[in-house]
């Protein structure tokens, strides 16, 4: 884990309220892996006080860049979206445990909305997984994912792009094809993917999101319930990636 002041190389809106930011941090990049996250200090003042966690979306080793993809939802991400090329952002990272990589297995990736962020770097390290992406309406980054996929499935809720519906429907139909599944996205989607995988004895890895404070295991803000006698784990250091069998969504 490093703490660095990183230079913003670009920070542009790619869809309404969705931004792609590139930061120059070559030393952090060399120790980072798919599924880990960065904790960004948003402002030089104490408002907002807490850092904001963002997943590593992509690593550009040639240029020394870490690419982040974020949705503007509140004060922190709004302030982040105002940052310009050349601005400096203080970053702690890489943090957490990333995705285990199974290159020789038949794999599928299922992502929804802004939850696709940690899945792009992952898709580069697998052997052409099938990729299922779902969005409400506005799609983004699909060309990047297509290039790493064996078969690419796109769904929108209103049918404005790809097929109308949810990616989990087709995934359910194809489940027999896979040995390992990776997912990140809205809770309802990842809970469905977990159920489908477990009913079919397919190993599944989920990237979890919880509100975070410290990001380094010291404050308990990010605790999530596990299957181990209801014990809690910390998403920031035990995750954010968990085997689906470890995490509990329904009580
Ligand atoms: C491991 C991890 C990786 C993430 N990766 C991404 C990503 O790649 N792209 C992306 O757009 N978002 C990601 N998120 C969610 C992102 O951190 C929140 O959207 C962001 O912190 C919201 O901050 P805000 O000030 O704009 O919103 P506010 O709602 O004003 O935030 C208030 C507080 O709640 C926390 N918070 C609010 N929503 C979330 C949330 N969903 N998860 C965690 N904390 C939250 C904030 O950190 C802050 O402390 C990730 C979250 C986690 C835990
Ligand atoms: S955010 Fe503090 S323990 Fe996880």
């Amino acid at each position: 884990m490093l703490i660095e002041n990183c230079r913003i190389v670009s920070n542009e809106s790619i869809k309404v309220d969705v931004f792609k930011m590139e930061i120059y941090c070559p030393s952090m990049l060399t120790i980072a892996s798919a599924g880990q996250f960065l904790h960004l200090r948003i402002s030089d003042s104490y408002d907002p006080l807490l850092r904001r966690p963002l997943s590593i979306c992509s690593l550009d080793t040639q240029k020394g860049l870490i690419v982040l993809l974020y949705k503007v939802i509140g004060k922190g991400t709004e302030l982040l979206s105002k940052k310009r090329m050349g601005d400096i952002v203080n970053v702690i990272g890489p943090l957490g445990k990333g995705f285990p990589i199974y290159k020789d297995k038949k794999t599928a990736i299922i992502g929804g909305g802004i939850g696709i962020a940690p899945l792009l770097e992952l898709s580069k390290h697998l052997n052409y997984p099938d990729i299922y992406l779902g969005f409400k309406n506005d799609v983004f980054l699909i060309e990047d994912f297509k290039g790493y996929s064996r078969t690419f499935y796109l769904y929108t809720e209103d049918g404005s792009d790809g097929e109308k519906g949810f990616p989990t429907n087709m995934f359910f139909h194809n489940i027999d094809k896979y040995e390992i599944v990776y997912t990140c996205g809205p809770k309802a989607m990842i809970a469905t993917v977990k159920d489908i995988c477990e009913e079919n004895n397919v190993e599944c890895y989920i990237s979890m999101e919880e509100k975070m404070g410290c990001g380094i295991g010291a404050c308990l803000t990010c605790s999530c319930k596990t299957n181990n006698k209801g014990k809690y784990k910390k998403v920031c250091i035990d995750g954010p990636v968990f085997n689906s069998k470890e995490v509990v969504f329904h009580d």
Side-chain angles (χ1 to χ4, degrees), residues 212-222 234 236:
M212 285 193 179
C214 66
I216 52 168
C219 73
L220 302 181
T221 308
C222 65
K234 297 172 186 171
C236 67

Side-chain angles (χ1 to χ4, degrees), residues 3 17 23 32 37 42 52 56 68 74 76 84 104 106 108 111 116 129 134 146 152 191 206 220 230 248:
I3 306 179
D17 289 340
I23 53 176
F37 69 96
I42 302 294
R52 300 297 191 255
I56 291 168
L68 305 170
R84 296 281 165 259
D104 303 326
K106 292 176 213 145
I116 67 171
K146 266 186 197 168
F152 181 76
I206 299 179
L220 302 181
V248 180

Side-chain angles (χ1 to χ4, degrees), residues 12-239:
E12 56 190 43
S13 168
I14 55 167
K15 282 285 164 187
V16 179
D17 289 340
V18 178
F19 284 72
K20 181 178 165 190
M21 177 187 262
E22 294 174 313
I23 53 176
Y24 182 70
C25 32
S27 31
M28 205 173 279
L29 185 146
T30 57
I31 53 170
S33 66
Q36 290 188 296
F37 69 96
L38 306 183
H39 219 194
L40 275 70
R41 187 163 173 202
I42 302 294
S43 139
D44 293 335
S45 76
Y46 288 108
D47 184 24
L49 179 65
L50 296 175
R51 288 171 181 267
R52 300 297 191 255
L54 292 179
S55 304
I56 291 168
C57 176
S58 183
L59 299 169
D60 184 337
T61 39
Q62 300 241 307
K63 294 183 183 160
L65 301 177
I66 297 185
V67 183
L68 305 170
L69 184 74
Y70 64 94
K71 188 167 178 133
V72 174
I73 64 152
K75 187 167 191 174
T77 43
E78 172 77 37
L79 284 170
L80 198 60
S81 73
K82 302 279 187 273
K83 296 206 183 280
R84 296 281 165 259
M85 184 175 79
D87 286 353
I88 300 294
V89 62
N90 185 270
V91 181
I92 303 181
L95 294 173
K97 295 200 173 77
F99 292 105
I101 303 294
Y102 292 97
K103 245 190 167 359
D104 303 326
K105 303 262 186 183
K106 292 176 213 145
T107 53
I109 288 179
I110 299 128
I114 197 65
I116 67 171
L119 302 174
L120 183 60
E121 184 59 28
L122 170 69
S123 64
K124 297 183 197 171
H125 297 272
L126 302 175
N127 185 16
Y128 292 101
D130 281 350
I131 299 183
Y132 301 77
L133 300 186
F135 299 86
K136 268 205 162 63
N137 40 44
D138 255 358
V139 306
F140 42 88
L141 240 64
I142 55 170
E143 292 308 321
D144 303 65
F145 276 95
K146 266 186 197 168
Y148 299 111
S149 66
R150 188 172 303 270
T151 311
F152 181 76
Y153 301 90
L154 177 66
Y155 291 85
T156 50
E157 286 179 31
D158 63 359
S160 55
D161 219 329
E163 297 287 321
K164 186 173 179 173
F166 298 108
T168 39
N169 298 346
M170 183 52 110
F171 168 68
F172 175 68
H173 184 73
N174 290 342
I175 184 68
D176 289 347
K177 293 185 183 173
Y178 307 120
E179 296 169 285
I180 306 279
V181 168
Y182 303 91
T183 187
C184 184
K187 266 206 174 133
M189 190 200 86
I190 55 178
T192 305
V193 173
K194 168 183 161 73
D195 289 346
I196 296 172
C197 289
E198 288 173 13
E199 278 159 22
N200 290 278
N201 289 318
V202 174
E203 204 161 318
C204 172
Y205 292 93
I206 299 179
S207 180
M208 298 285 287
E209 249 187 44
E210 285 296 338
K211 294 208 169 185
M212 285 193 179
C214 66
I216 52 168
C219 73
L220 302 181
T221 308
C222 65
S223 303
C224 75
K225 203 171 179 182
T226 70
N227 253 337
N228 182 5
K229 296 174 194 151
K231 280 190 184 155
Y232 284 80
K233 283 204 170 184
K234 297 172 186 171
V235 170
C236 67
I237 53 168
D238 300 317

